[in-house]
């Protein structure tokens, strides 16, 4: 399953911003996979912190192979030592078992998060060990498919903004200007800025000041 959007979102963004409109036209539709299982998404994002996507996928597949079903009961039964054997750090294994325990004993209501506004959902998810604000925002986008996620803490989005608009730096005030411009479809704007950051448009460069050579 891919993040769902269409011409309603892209037409709105194109009307709001000519440069983004040109990028959308050049790049075309973007297919980004989503995982609508919120429990699995939290675990998946904890695994993926500070490692490559390839390493994340490898550990996730090992977990699925070892446990059969990735849920609170199976993770608690496995325990920290077995989770570590799958290739993750001790701390990540602790975060995952702590999260599983909260779900198992009912101290964290994961289903209630679906009903929360974005800011409340981010606060709730980032209260979990191992989940920061950026990770919570990515869960909102790539699991819950919230339409207006535009993360200041995402370095690739900042890079995409610098490349598209020829900025040298993106401070909070400038970022908020774009966030307001792209709302209520910040998530789709994020998809295109990630693509731009990754080189989807040949010839675009990052205008960030070059660091002096040591």
């Amino acid at each position: 399953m891919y993040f769902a959007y269409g011409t309603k979102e892209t037409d709105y963004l194109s009307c709001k911003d000519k440069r983004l409109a040109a990028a959308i036209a050049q790049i075309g539709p973007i297919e980004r996979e989503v995982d609508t299982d919120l429990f699995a998404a939290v675990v998946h994002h904890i695994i993926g912190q500070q490692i490559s996507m390839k390493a994340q996928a490898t550990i996730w597949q090992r977990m699925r192979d070892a446990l059969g079903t990735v849920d609170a009961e199976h993770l608690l039964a496995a325990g920290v030592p077995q989770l570590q054997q799958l290739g993750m750090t001790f701390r990540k294994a602790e975060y995952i078992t702590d999260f599983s325990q909260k779900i198992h004993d009912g101290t964290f209501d994961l289903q209630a998060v679906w009903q929360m506004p974005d800011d409340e959902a981010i606060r709730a998810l980032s209260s979990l060990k191992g989940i920061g604000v950026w990770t919570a925002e990515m869960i909102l986008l790539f699991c819950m498919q919230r339409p207006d996620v535009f993360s200041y803490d995402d370095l690739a989005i900042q890079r995409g903004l610098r490349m598209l608009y020829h900025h040298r730096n993106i401070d909070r005030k400038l970022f908020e200007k774009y966030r307001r411009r792209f709302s209520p479809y910040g998530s789709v704007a994020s998809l295109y800025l990630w693509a731009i950051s990754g080189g989807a448009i040949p010839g675009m460069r990052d205008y960030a000041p070059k660091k002096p050579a040591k």
Side-chain angles (χ1 to χ4, degrees):
M1 180 184 292
Y2 300 113
F3 184 87
Y5 75 96
T7 56
K8 179 180 73 172
E9 292 84 358
T10 53
D11 286 352
Y12 178 90
L13 293 170
S14 297
C15 288
K16 287 285 186 177
D17 190 288
K18 291 182 179 179
R19 289 195 187 185
L20 184 57
I24 289 171
Q26 187 167 351
I27 296 170
I30 293 175
E31 294 182 340
R32 287 293 296 263
E33 289 189 358
V34 295
D35 178 3
T36 57
D37 182 334
L38 188 51
F39 181 90
V42 172
V43 174
H44 202 195
H45 277 82
I46 291 174
I47 291 170
Q49 291 175 355
Q50 298 180 326
I51 62 175
S52 69
M53 291 181 67
K54 183 178 180 181
Q56 179 190 35
T58 298
I59 295 171
W60 178 249
Q61 189 58 52
R62 286 174 186 164
M63 180 179 285
R64 294 180 67 182
D65 291 343
L67 303 183
T69 302
V70 179
D71 59 16
E73 287 71 26
H74 286 82
L75 287 165
L76 288 171
V80 171
Q82 186 177 342
L83 294 180
Q84 276 189 277
Q85 291 175 8
L86 302 176
M88 71 183 73
T89 65
F90 174 79
R91 180 165 291 182
K92 287 183 181 180
E94 275 197 322
Y95 291 157
I96 289 170
T97 53
D98 182 77
F99 169 58
S100 299
Q101 188 64 54
K102 285 181 168 66
I103 298 301
H104 181 73
D105 61 24
T107 57
F108 189 90
D109 186 352
L110 197 60
Q111 290 308 308
V113 176
W114 285 102
Q115 311 305 322
M116 295 177 184
D118 289 356
D119 57 346
E120 290 183 21
I122 290 167
R123 282 197 297 272
L125 290 168
S126 59
S127 73
L128 296 166
K129 291 181 179 179
I131 300 292
V133 170
W134 176 82
T135 304
E137 289 170 332
M138 295 306 101
I139 292 170
L140 259 64
L141 202 163
F142 292 116
C143 173
M144 302 172 75
Q145 297 197 69
R146 294 293 176 91
D148 201 18
V149 178
F150 197 66
S151 175
Y152 178 74
D153 294 323
D154 194 291
L155 298 181
I157 288 179
Q158 291 201 25
R159 173 179 162 85
L161 288 170
R162 291 195 304 267
M163 292 171 70
L164 186 59
Y165 300 102
H166 301 184
H167 295 303
R168 290 172 60 81
N169 295 290
I170 306 291
D171 60 18
R172 173 70 77 170
K173 183 177 179 181
L174 182 57
F175 187 88
E176 286 300 311
K177 182 186 82 170
Y178 288 112
R179 186 189 62 78
R180 290 191 298 269
R181 182 182 299 177
F182 301 147
S183 183
Y185 301 122
S187 295
V188 175
S190 295
L191 296 181
Y192 281 94
L193 288 166
W194 278 319
I196 290 166
S197 176
I201 299 180
M204 278 196 174
R205 68 178 182 88
D206 191 343
Y207 286 81
K210 292 183 179 180
K211 295 181 179 179
K214 292 183 180 179

